[in-house]
Amino acid sequence: MAFVNVINCCLDSITEISEELKDAVVYVDSGCTESFKFLGAFPVLLEMGALAVCSLESMSTLDSAIGWNQKSDVQTKVVFFTCRLLTDSHRYILRRLSTHKRVFQCTIYTSISEVGQSAYPDSPLGPDAYHEYQSLLVQDYEELMKKKDSNSTTIHTHKKGNLIPEDEEGWLQLAPRAEDDTPKSPSFSIGHAGQKLIAYVHHFPLILCPFSPKFFVLPSEGSISEAYLSADQENAISSGLPPLSTGTFHDGEDVPPGVALTAQFLYHLTTKMELKLEIFSLGDLSRTIGKLITDMSSLYDVGRRKRSAGLLLIDRTVDLLTPCCHGDSLVDRIFSSVPRRTRTVAKGSQTQPNLQRAPLDVQIPLADVLREVPPKTNAQLFEAFLQGWNSYDSATQINTLVSLGDDFSESELLSGSLVSTESFNGTPYLESTLDRRTKDGTILIKKLLQEALRKEKISMNPKTDLQLMVRALAKTQSCFMRNKGIIQLAAATSYAMSEKYRAKWDSFVSAEKILNISAGDTSQDLSRQMCDIINKSCFGESESSSQGLFSVEDAMLLTVTGYILAGENFPTSGSAGPFSWQEEHFLKEAIVDAILENPKLAKYKFLHGLSHDLEANLKKKKDGEVTEEPSKALESDDDQWGNWGEEEEDADKDTSNVYSDMQLKLELRDRVDNLFKFLHKLTNLKGNKGIREMASSLENSIGDDDPYSRKGLLYKLLTRILNKYDVPGLEYHSSTVGRLFKSGFGRFGLGQAKPSLSDQNVLLVFVVGGMNGIEVLEVQEALSESGRADIEVILGGTTFLTPTDMLDLLLGDSSYI
């Protein structure tokens, strides 16, 4: 039986275009950089004959070294990889083309299909989007080259600046040409010293971030993951999450851009994998995506020889609790603690707003872990680079490059990343970590480190700390490069399991268990625990975070978690919340006090515009300038008669201050009331009858009564499916042939039976909105417990979610609060 391997599919797609990559300068945008890092694709690109691989958005002074080994009369071939819309990448593509003296061929590979490019709202490209863009690109390139020729002095003056004419916001104006002027051939004349530029645009759908051969998410800085999944409407809670399920779905005409792009991505991904899909969905938005994918299918697709597979689409909003909680997953700990790459300073769509997803590219602080490594690492790396360099004018260029090396800090050079293809005896490190809980994963990494040390003939005590093992294995550069995969993963684990982050995570786990147990008792117990956490967080700000005390942001996350738990255990109808008026009043007052003590909470959307007032109020309080409350003023009323008429100006000033303080508190209470109206939405996540029935049946079948071993929705859902039980609310999307049988041949008794997910040997489960590491682990546990060794489960999601990401989606700028 042939196994489906997402990593191999992606790498095979790269090798298929080896002819285009040979002797080419390759540019990749930030989303593709994330994808290729997980894939370990950069060595593959060089093996295919690429001259260099550079960033598309961020131009480096080192990029000027690309042509040092080339003769002046050699023409350049350039290849671009982008997971953004062509209109969004246009100015960067032009800028990179302008840095080369002679470009004869430009090939662009984009993960957005031609239909997606043209159908995107307000797109200037028509149905023949790729061919139209080829024409527009060459037209703009021609104009740019003419401008360079006619004004070479000006260009030389701004040699290190922006050569591309832009509008006020930094965008190159891209407008479609008239149909008469559109050339019919992909080869266009530049009119610059007899050069001819040949421009091609191809679809390259397999740009994704695989954590393992069976689990992937989309790049964080790609047009698909950044596009809105829901519009601001009554049932929507965030532009980055599906709306709450109510039993309705879009008709396909007016869907958010992220929905259409996700459907096209999944269709082309499964087509590339040669899978024939039986589509099922759970949730309103997933239902819409399933319908779009079904409509894309044709009789030709159905008739081809493909492997049958089941596609299960799930709305993230069906289960918001799991990604908000801190599960027993080492990978979740790593992504929640290790620093991430800062987002590329680049605009999204010119016409549509976009989400700001957290980058998936972790920056493992190897410099911190390898502190005992000699400080000359910086110079050694550049020296090794220069020794392998051979240029026609080496003296000046080498001196220039060495001086450039001083501009990079050691921490910037020594930052690792997670690579899914790094393995030990064929077992990928990252995949092995995903399939284990925190303790087991840490033990496994330690065993792999010991094995690597044994191979390098380095003797160490088996009880040695992880960090010391990493340092021993990285003593020499050659040893470091041979074992870079396990070194980077071990360094990330050591960082995530340090006292500072381990104590905070364990405190979250304990608090969530307490909230879960309280939710099983009464609403009073749950609200009391939530108030206690909020009140204690105000004091925890000044304490050391290593003690595991919560910040106010942590308390807000636990408040969201508590409300979701309350919605599950104390169901309510209408707009009323799960708590009594008195219980909710205490919660509101606790949050108001916490905000007054911590003005940094103004970063959340429901407090926008109050940052300055909150900071000024806290400063007055710290300086002892906050006036007394009106009640206290009345108590000392008798003492004030003696000052009657003596200090009128000071009295007026005090009155205005009291009014200002009271106004701020009243405004805060209004904002907090809006917050709680939003939290009431989260308590009604299972408002749809089908979703309620599904949740109830899953709880009954799993019997998850132990609050200490709570399982997520995916575990319960897969367990029921693999045991061949029906799942209420799960909708099947009939294929083209299936609909034909149902409507036509069905009247003659030739109807087609509804397929079951459990009958498929391959299951592709995609969570619209994202998923986390503990869900991957629990799905593997469900598969193992079912004993169904004949089934392959492939998991995917819009992005990789941490609890902090969920809080940002629910209360941050993308929230519909």
Short mmCIF file of all heavy atoms in Angstrom, two decimals, residues 319-322 324-325 508-523 526-527 529-530 533 557-572 578-579 679 682-686 699 704 707 710-711 716:
data_model
loop_
_atom_site.label_atom_id
_atom_site.label_comp_id
_atom_site.label_asym_id
_atom_site.label_seq_id
_atom_site.Cartn_x
_atom_site.Cartn_y
_atom_site.Cartn_z
N ASP A 319 -14.93 23.93 18.22
CA ASP A 319 -14.17 23.64 19.45
C ASP A 319 -13.11 24.73 19.64
O ASP A 319 -12.01 24.62 19.12
CB ASP A 319 -13.52 22.25 19.36
CG ASP A 319 -12.63 21.96 20.57
OD1 ASP A 319 -12.85 22.56 21.63
OD2 ASP A 319 -11.71 21.13 20.43
N LEU A 320 -13.46 25.77 20.39
CA LEU A 320 -12.50 26.83 20.70
C LEU A 320 -11.72 26.53 21.98
O LEU A 320 -10.68 27.16 22.22
CB LEU A 320 -13.23 28.17 20.87
CG LEU A 320 -13.68 28.88 19.59
CD1 LEU A 320 -14.37 30.18 19.94
CD2 LEU A 320 -12.50 29.14 18.67
N LEU A 321 -12.21 25.60 22.78
CA LEU A 321 -11.58 25.36 24.07
C LEU A 321 -10.19 24.75 23.94
O LEU A 321 -9.25 25.18 24.62
CB LEU A 321 -12.48 24.44 24.92
CG LEU A 321 -12.00 24.17 26.34
CD1 LEU A 321 -11.92 25.46 27.13
CD2 LEU A 321 -12.93 23.18 27.03
N THR A 322 -10.04 23.76 23.05
CA THR A 322 -8.76 23.05 22.94
C THR A 322 -7.59 23.97 22.60
O THR A 322 -6.55 23.92 23.26
CB THR A 322 -8.87 21.92 21.90
OG1 THR A 322 -9.91 21.02 22.29
CG2 THR A 322 -7.56 21.15 21.81
N CYS A 324 -7.33 27.09 23.18
CA CYS A 324 -7.16 28.10 24.23
C CYS A 324 -6.44 27.51 25.45
O CYS A 324 -5.93 28.27 26.29
CB CYS A 324 -8.52 28.65 24.67
SG CYS A 324 -9.25 29.82 23.51
N CYS A 325 -6.41 26.18 25.56
CA CYS A 325 -5.81 25.53 26.73
C CYS A 325 -4.37 25.12 26.46
O CYS A 325 -3.92 25.04 25.33
CB CYS A 325 -6.65 24.30 27.11
SG CYS A 325 -8.28 24.71 27.76
N PHE A 508 -0.53 27.37 34.14
CA PHE A 508 -1.71 27.41 33.28
C PHE A 508 -2.45 26.07 33.33
O PHE A 508 -3.69 26.03 33.42
CB PHE A 508 -1.30 27.71 31.84
CG PHE A 508 -1.41 29.16 31.47
CD1 PHE A 508 -0.29 29.90 31.16
CD2 PHE A 508 -2.64 29.78 31.42
CE1 PHE A 508 -0.39 31.23 30.82
CE2 PHE A 508 -2.76 31.11 31.07
CZ PHE A 508 -1.62 31.85 30.77
N VAL A 509 -1.69 24.98 33.25
CA VAL A 509 -2.31 23.65 33.28
C VAL A 509 -3.10 23.46 34.58
O VAL A 509 -4.24 22.97 34.57
CB VAL A 509 -1.24 22.55 33.12
CG1 VAL A 509 -1.85 21.17 33.34
CG2 VAL A 509 -0.60 22.63 31.74
N SER A 510 -2.51 23.86 35.70
CA SER A 510 -3.18 23.71 36.99
C SER A 510 -4.44 24.57 37.06
O SER A 510 -5.50 24.12 37.52
CB SER A 510 -2.22 24.11 38.13
OG SER A 510 -1.09 23.27 38.14
N ALA A 511 -4.34 25.83 36.59
CA ALA A 511 -5.50 26.73 36.63
C ALA A 511 -6.62 26.21 35.75
O ALA A 511 -7.81 26.28 36.12
CB ALA A 511 -5.07 28.13 36.19
N GLU A 512 -6.28 25.68 34.58
CA GLU A 512 -7.31 25.16 33.68
C GLU A 512 -7.99 23.92 34.26
O GLU A 512 -9.20 23.72 34.07
CB GLU A 512 -6.69 24.87 32.31
CG GLU A 512 -6.36 26.13 31.53
CD GLU A 512 -5.30 25.92 30.45
OE1 GLU A 512 -4.83 24.77 30.29
OE2 GLU A 512 -4.93 26.90 29.80
N LYS A 513 -7.23 23.10 34.96
CA LYS A 513 -7.84 21.94 35.63
C LYS A 513 -8.81 22.38 36.71
O LYS A 513 -9.91 21.82 36.86
CB LYS A 513 -6.75 21.05 36.22
CG LYS A 513 -5.98 20.24 35.19
CD LYS A 513 -4.92 19.38 35.85
CE LYS A 513 -4.17 18.54 34.82
NZ LYS A 513 -3.08 17.73 35.44
N ILE A 514 -8.41 23.41 37.46
CA ILE A 514 -9.29 23.92 38.53
C ILE A 514 -10.58 24.49 37.92
O ILE A 514 -11.69 24.24 38.42
CB ILE A 514 -8.55 24.99 39.36
CG1 ILE A 514 -7.42 24.34 40.16
CG2 ILE A 514 -9.52 25.72 40.29
CD1 ILE A 514 -6.52 25.33 40.87
N LEU A 515 -10.45 25.25 36.83
CA LEU A 515 -11.64 25.80 36.17
C LEU A 515 -12.53 24.69 35.63
O LEU A 515 -13.77 24.77 35.72
CB LEU A 515 -11.22 26.74 35.03
CG LEU A 515 -10.54 28.05 35.42
CD1 LEU A 515 -10.15 28.83 34.16
CD2 LEU A 515 -11.45 28.90 36.29
N ASN A 516 -11.92 23.66 35.11
CA ASN A 516 -12.68 22.53 34.55
C ASN A 516 -13.45 21.81 35.65
O ASN A 516 -14.62 21.44 35.47
CB ASN A 516 -11.72 21.58 33.84
CG ASN A 516 -12.43 20.64 32.90
OD1 ASN A 516 -13.60 20.82 32.58
ND2 ASN A 516 -11.74 19.61 32.46
N ILE A 517 -12.79 21.61 36.80
CA ILE A 517 -13.47 20.94 37.92
C ILE A 517 -14.59 21.82 38.46
O ILE A 517 -15.70 21.35 38.75
CB ILE A 517 -12.45 20.62 39.02
CG1 ILE A 517 -11.44 19.57 38.52
CG2 ILE A 517 -13.15 20.11 40.28
CD1 ILE A 517 -10.30 19.32 39.47
N SER A 518 -14.32 23.13 38.57
CA SER A 518 -15.34 24.06 39.08
C SER A 518 -16.54 24.12 38.14
O SER A 518 -17.68 24.25 38.60
CB SER A 518 -14.74 25.46 39.25
OG SER A 518 -13.65 25.45 40.16
N ALA A 519 -16.27 24.04 36.83
CA ALA A 519 -17.37 24.07 35.86
C ALA A 519 -18.25 22.83 35.99
O ALA A 519 -19.43 22.85 35.60
CB ALA A 519 -16.82 24.16 34.44
N GLY A 520 -17.71 21.77 36.55
CA GLY A 520 -18.51 20.56 36.76
C GLY A 520 -19.38 20.64 38.00
O GLY A 520 -20.24 19.79 38.21
N ASP A 521 -19.16 21.69 38.84
CA ASP A 521 -19.95 21.85 40.06
C ASP A 521 -21.05 22.89 39.84
O ASP A 521 -22.10 22.57 39.31
CB ASP A 521 -19.04 22.25 41.23
CG ASP A 521 -18.05 21.14 41.58
OD1 ASP A 521 -18.37 19.96 41.32
OD2 ASP A 521 -16.96 21.46 42.08
N THR A 522 -20.78 24.12 40.22
CA THR A 522 -21.79 25.17 40.09
C THR A 522 -21.17 26.40 39.43
O THR A 522 -19.96 26.56 39.41
CB THR A 522 -22.35 25.58 41.46
OG1 THR A 522 -21.26 26.12 42.26
CG2 THR A 522 -22.98 24.39 42.16
N SER A 523 -22.02 27.27 38.91
CA SER A 523 -21.53 28.50 38.28
C SER A 523 -20.88 29.41 39.31
O SER A 523 -19.96 30.17 38.99
CB SER A 523 -22.68 29.22 37.58
OG SER A 523 -23.68 29.60 38.49
N LEU A 526 -17.23 28.39 39.69
CA LEU A 526 -16.44 28.77 38.53
C LEU A 526 -16.17 30.28 38.52
O LEU A 526 -15.03 30.72 38.29
CB LEU A 526 -17.16 28.35 37.25
CG LEU A 526 -16.45 28.69 35.93
CD1 LEU A 526 -15.07 28.06 35.87
CD2 LEU A 526 -17.28 28.22 34.73
N SER A 527 -17.20 31.10 38.77
CA SER A 527 -17.01 32.55 38.76
C SER A 527 -16.08 32.99 39.89
O SER A 527 -15.29 33.92 39.73
CB SER A 527 -18.36 33.26 38.89
OG SER A 527 -18.98 32.97 40.13
N GLN A 529 -13.55 31.25 41.13
CA GLN A 529 -12.18 30.93 40.71
C GLN A 529 -11.68 31.95 39.67
O GLN A 529 -10.52 32.37 39.71
CB GLN A 529 -12.13 29.52 40.11
CG GLN A 529 -12.38 28.39 41.09
CD GLN A 529 -11.27 28.26 42.13
OE1 GLN A 529 -10.17 28.77 41.95
NE2 GLN A 529 -11.58 27.57 43.22
N MET A 530 -12.54 32.35 38.76
CA MET A 530 -12.14 33.32 37.74
C MET A 530 -11.82 34.67 38.36
O MET A 530 -10.83 35.33 38.00
CB MET A 530 -13.25 33.44 36.69
CG MET A 530 -13.42 32.18 35.84
SD MET A 530 -14.97 32.15 34.91
CE MET A 530 -14.75 33.53 33.81
N ILE A 533 -8.41 34.53 40.06
CA ILE A 533 -7.29 34.59 39.10
C ILE A 533 -7.07 36.02 38.63
O ILE A 533 -5.92 36.51 38.56
CB ILE A 533 -7.57 33.66 37.91
CG1 ILE A 533 -7.49 32.19 38.34
CG2 ILE A 533 -6.57 33.92 36.78
CD1 ILE A 533 -7.96 31.21 37.28
N LEU A 557 -6.93 35.46 29.18
CA LEU A 557 -7.04 34.19 28.48
C LEU A 557 -7.82 33.17 29.32
O LEU A 557 -8.70 32.45 28.80
CB LEU A 557 -5.65 33.65 28.15
CG LEU A 557 -5.58 32.27 27.51
CD1 LEU A 557 -6.35 32.23 26.19
CD2 LEU A 557 -4.13 31.84 27.29
N LEU A 558 -7.54 33.11 30.61
CA LEU A 558 -8.25 32.18 31.48
C LEU A 558 -9.72 32.58 31.65
O LEU A 558 -10.59 31.72 31.85
CB LEU A 558 -7.56 32.11 32.85
CG LEU A 558 -6.20 31.39 32.83
CD1 LEU A 558 -5.46 31.58 34.15
CD2 LEU A 558 -6.38 29.90 32.55
N THR A 559 -10.01 33.89 31.55
CA THR A 559 -11.40 34.33 31.59
C THR A 559 -12.16 33.82 30.37
O THR A 559 -13.30 33.35 30.48
CB THR A 559 -11.47 35.87 31.65
OG1 THR A 559 -10.78 36.33 32.82
CG2 THR A 559 -12.90 36.35 31.69
N VAL A 560 -11.53 33.91 29.20
CA VAL A 560 -12.14 33.38 27.98
C VAL A 560 -12.37 31.88 28.12
O VAL A 560 -13.44 31.35 27.79
CB VAL A 560 -11.25 33.69 26.75
CG1 VAL A 560 -11.77 32.96 25.51
CG2 VAL A 560 -11.21 35.20 26.48
N THR A 561 -11.35 31.18 28.63
CA THR A 561 -11.47 29.73 28.83
C THR A 561 -12.61 29.40 29.79
O THR A 561 -13.41 28.48 29.55
CB THR A 561 -10.15 29.16 29.38
OG1 THR A 561 -9.09 29.47 28.48
CG2 THR A 561 -10.23 27.66 29.56
N GLY A 562 -12.71 30.18 30.87
CA GLY A 562 -13.77 29.95 31.84
C GLY A 562 -15.15 30.14 31.24
O GLY A 562 -16.08 29.38 31.55
N TYR A 563 -15.31 31.14 30.39
CA TYR A 563 -16.61 31.38 29.77
C TYR A 563 -16.99 30.27 28.79
O TYR A 563 -18.15 29.88 28.69
CB TYR A 563 -16.63 32.74 29.07
CG TYR A 563 -17.39 33.77 29.88
CD1 TYR A 563 -16.78 34.46 30.90
CD2 TYR A 563 -18.73 34.02 29.64
CE1 TYR A 563 -17.47 35.38 31.67
CE2 TYR A 563 -19.44 34.94 30.40
CZ TYR A 563 -18.81 35.62 31.41
OH TYR A 563 -19.51 36.51 32.17
N ILE A 564 -16.00 29.77 28.05
CA ILE A 564 -16.29 28.65 27.14
C ILE A 564 -16.72 27.42 27.94
O ILE A 564 -17.67 26.71 27.57
CB ILE A 564 -15.08 28.35 26.25
CG1 ILE A 564 -14.74 29.56 25.37
CG2 ILE A 564 -15.34 27.14 25.37
CD1 ILE A 564 -13.47 29.40 24.56
N LEU A 565 -16.02 27.16 29.05
CA LEU A 565 -16.40 26.04 29.92
C LEU A 565 -17.79 26.25 30.50
O LEU A 565 -18.60 25.30 30.59
CB LEU A 565 -15.38 25.90 31.05
CG LEU A 565 -14.05 25.24 30.71
CD1 LEU A 565 -13.06 25.41 31.85
CD2 LEU A 565 -14.25 23.76 30.41
N ALA A 566 -18.10 27.49 30.87
CA ALA A 566 -19.43 27.78 31.42
C ALA A 566 -20.51 27.53 30.38
O ALA A 566 -21.59 27.03 30.70
CB ALA A 566 -19.47 29.23 31.91
N GLY A 567 -20.22 27.89 29.12
CA GLY A 567 -21.19 27.65 28.06
C GLY A 567 -21.46 26.18 27.84
O GLY A 567 -22.58 25.78 27.49
N GLU A 568 -20.43 25.33 28.04
CA GLU A 568 -20.61 23.89 27.86
C GLU A 568 -21.37 23.26 29.02
O GLU A 568 -22.15 22.32 28.84
CB GLU A 568 -19.24 23.20 27.72
CG GLU A 568 -18.51 23.53 26.43
CD GLU A 568 -17.23 22.73 26.28
OE1 GLU A 568 -16.87 22.01 27.25
OE2 GLU A 568 -16.59 22.82 25.23
N ASN A 569 -21.13 23.78 30.24
CA ASN A 569 -21.70 23.15 31.42
C ASN A 569 -22.98 23.81 31.93
O ASN A 569 -23.79 23.18 32.61
CB ASN A 569 -20.67 23.13 32.55
CG ASN A 569 -19.50 22.21 32.26
OD1 ASN A 569 -19.54 21.03 32.56
ND2 ASN A 569 -18.45 22.76 31.68
N PHE A 570 -23.16 25.09 31.62
CA PHE A 570 -24.36 25.80 32.05
C PHE A 570 -25.01 26.44 30.83
O PHE A 570 -24.96 27.67 30.66
CB PHE A 570 -24.03 26.88 33.09
CG PHE A 570 -23.05 26.42 34.13
CD1 PHE A 570 -21.83 27.05 34.28
CD2 PHE A 570 -23.35 25.35 34.95
CE1 PHE A 570 -20.91 26.64 35.23
CE2 PHE A 570 -22.44 24.92 35.90
CZ PHE A 570 -21.21 25.56 36.05
N PRO A 571 -25.59 25.63 29.95
CA PRO A 571 -26.15 26.19 28.71
C PRO A 571 -27.25 27.20 29.01
O PRO A 571 -28.00 27.06 29.96
CB PRO A 571 -26.72 24.95 28.00
CG PRO A 571 -26.89 23.93 29.06
CD PRO A 571 -25.83 24.19 30.08
N THR A 572 -27.27 28.23 28.16
CA THR A 572 -28.24 29.29 28.35
C THR A 572 -28.88 29.63 27.02
O THR A 572 -28.35 29.30 25.95
CB THR A 572 -27.56 30.54 28.95
OG1 THR A 572 -28.52 31.56 29.13
CG2 THR A 572 -26.48 31.06 28.02
N PRO A 578 -24.08 32.67 31.10
CA PRO A 578 -24.21 31.46 31.92
C PRO A 578 -24.15 31.75 33.42
O PRO A 578 -24.44 30.88 34.23
CB PRO A 578 -23.02 30.62 31.48
CG PRO A 578 -22.00 31.62 31.04
CD PRO A 578 -22.76 32.76 30.44
N PHE A 579 -23.76 32.98 33.80
CA PHE A 579 -23.66 33.33 35.22
C PHE A 579 -24.82 34.23 35.63
O PHE A 579 -25.45 34.90 34.80
CB PHE A 579 -22.33 34.05 35.49
CG PHE A 579 -21.11 33.24 35.18
CD1 PHE A 579 -20.30 33.56 34.10
CD2 PHE A 579 -20.77 32.15 35.97
CE1 PHE A 579 -19.18 32.82 33.80
CE2 PHE A 579 -19.64 31.40 35.68
CZ PHE A 579 -18.85 31.73 34.60
N LEU A 679 -18.27 37.73 25.16
CA LEU A 679 -18.06 36.44 25.83
C LEU A 679 -19.33 35.61 25.84
O LEU A 679 -19.28 34.37 25.81
CB LEU A 679 -17.55 36.67 27.26
CG LEU A 679 -16.16 37.31 27.40
CD1 LEU A 679 -15.82 37.54 28.86
CD2 LEU A 679 -15.10 36.43 26.74
N LEU A 682 -19.42 33.42 22.93
CA LEU A 682 -18.58 32.22 23.03
C LEU A 682 -19.26 31.12 23.82
O LEU A 682 -18.95 29.94 23.64
CB LEU A 682 -17.23 32.56 23.68
CG LEU A 682 -16.41 33.66 22.99
CD1 LEU A 682 -15.05 33.79 23.68
CD2 LEU A 682 -16.22 33.37 21.51
N THR A 683 -20.17 31.50 24.70
CA THR A 683 -20.88 30.46 25.47
C THR A 683 -21.95 29.77 24.65
O THR A 683 -22.49 28.75 25.06
CB THR A 683 -21.56 31.09 26.72
OG1 THR A 683 -22.55 32.03 26.28
CG2 THR A 683 -20.54 31.78 27.59
N ASN A 684 -22.26 30.33 23.48
CA ASN A 684 -23.31 29.75 22.63
C ASN A 684 -22.72 29.14 21.37
O ASN A 684 -23.30 29.16 20.31
CB ASN A 684 -24.32 30.84 22.25
CG ASN A 684 -25.62 30.25 21.72
OD1 ASN A 684 -26.01 29.16 22.12
ND2 ASN A 684 -26.27 30.96 20.82
N LEU A 685 -21.47 28.59 21.51
CA LEU A 685 -20.78 28.02 20.36
C LEU A 685 -21.55 26.86 19.75
O LEU A 685 -21.45 26.60 18.55
CB LEU A 685 -19.39 27.53 20.78
CG LEU A 685 -18.37 28.63 21.11
CD1 LEU A 685 -17.10 28.00 21.62
CD2 LEU A 685 -18.09 29.47 19.88
N LYS A 686 -22.29 26.15 20.55
CA LYS A 686 -23.01 24.98 20.06
C LYS A 686 -24.49 25.29 19.86
O LYS A 686 -25.37 24.48 20.13
CB LYS A 686 -22.83 23.80 21.02
CG LYS A 686 -21.36 23.39 21.16
CD LYS A 686 -21.16 22.34 22.22
CE LYS A 686 -19.70 21.97 22.39
NZ LYS A 686 -19.48 21.01 23.49
N GLU A 699 -19.73 13.15 23.68
CA GLU A 699 -19.52 13.04 25.12
C GLU A 699 -20.01 11.70 25.64
O GLU A 699 -19.37 11.06 26.46
CB GLU A 699 -20.24 14.19 25.85
CG GLU A 699 -19.70 15.57 25.56
CD GLU A 699 -18.30 15.78 26.10
OE1 GLU A 699 -17.90 15.03 27.00
OE2 GLU A 699 -17.59 16.67 25.60
N ASP A 704 -16.05 10.96 28.72
CA ASP A 704 -14.93 11.74 29.24
C ASP A 704 -15.35 12.47 30.52
O ASP A 704 -15.62 13.66 30.52
CB ASP A 704 -14.48 12.74 28.16
CG ASP A 704 -13.19 13.45 28.53
OD1 ASP A 704 -12.55 13.00 29.49
OD2 ASP A 704 -12.84 14.44 27.86
N PRO A 707 -11.98 15.18 34.62
CA PRO A 707 -11.54 16.51 34.20
C PRO A 707 -10.04 16.62 34.02
O PRO A 707 -9.55 17.56 33.41
CB PRO A 707 -12.03 17.40 35.36
CG PRO A 707 -12.13 16.48 36.54
CD PRO A 707 -12.52 15.15 35.97
N ARG A 710 -9.08 15.50 29.98
CA ARG A 710 -10.03 16.01 28.99
C ARG A 710 -9.44 15.89 27.59
O ARG A 710 -8.29 16.25 27.35
CB ARG A 710 -10.35 17.46 29.30
CG ARG A 710 -11.38 18.06 28.36
CD ARG A 710 -11.60 19.53 28.65
NE ARG A 710 -12.61 20.05 27.76
CZ ARG A 710 -13.90 20.05 28.01
NH1 ARG A 710 -14.35 19.56 29.15
NH2 ARG A 710 -14.77 20.54 27.15
N LYS A 711 -10.22 15.39 26.66
CA LYS A 711 -9.80 15.23 25.27
C LYS A 711 -10.48 16.28 24.40
O LYS A 711 -11.58 16.74 24.69
CB LYS A 711 -10.16 13.83 24.75
CG LYS A 711 -9.53 12.68 25.53
CD LYS A 711 -8.04 12.59 25.28
CE LYS A 711 -7.47 11.33 25.93
NZ LYS A 711 -6.01 11.20 25.72
N LYS A 716 -12.31 12.93 19.94
CA LYS A 716 -13.64 12.33 20.09
C LYS A 716 -14.27 12.04 18.73
O LYS A 716 -14.89 10.99 18.52
CB LYS A 716 -14.53 13.26 20.89
CG LYS A 716 -14.02 13.55 22.30
CD LYS A 716 -14.84 14.63 22.97
CE LYS A 716 -14.27 14.98 24.35
NZ LYS A 716 -15.01 16.08 24.99
#
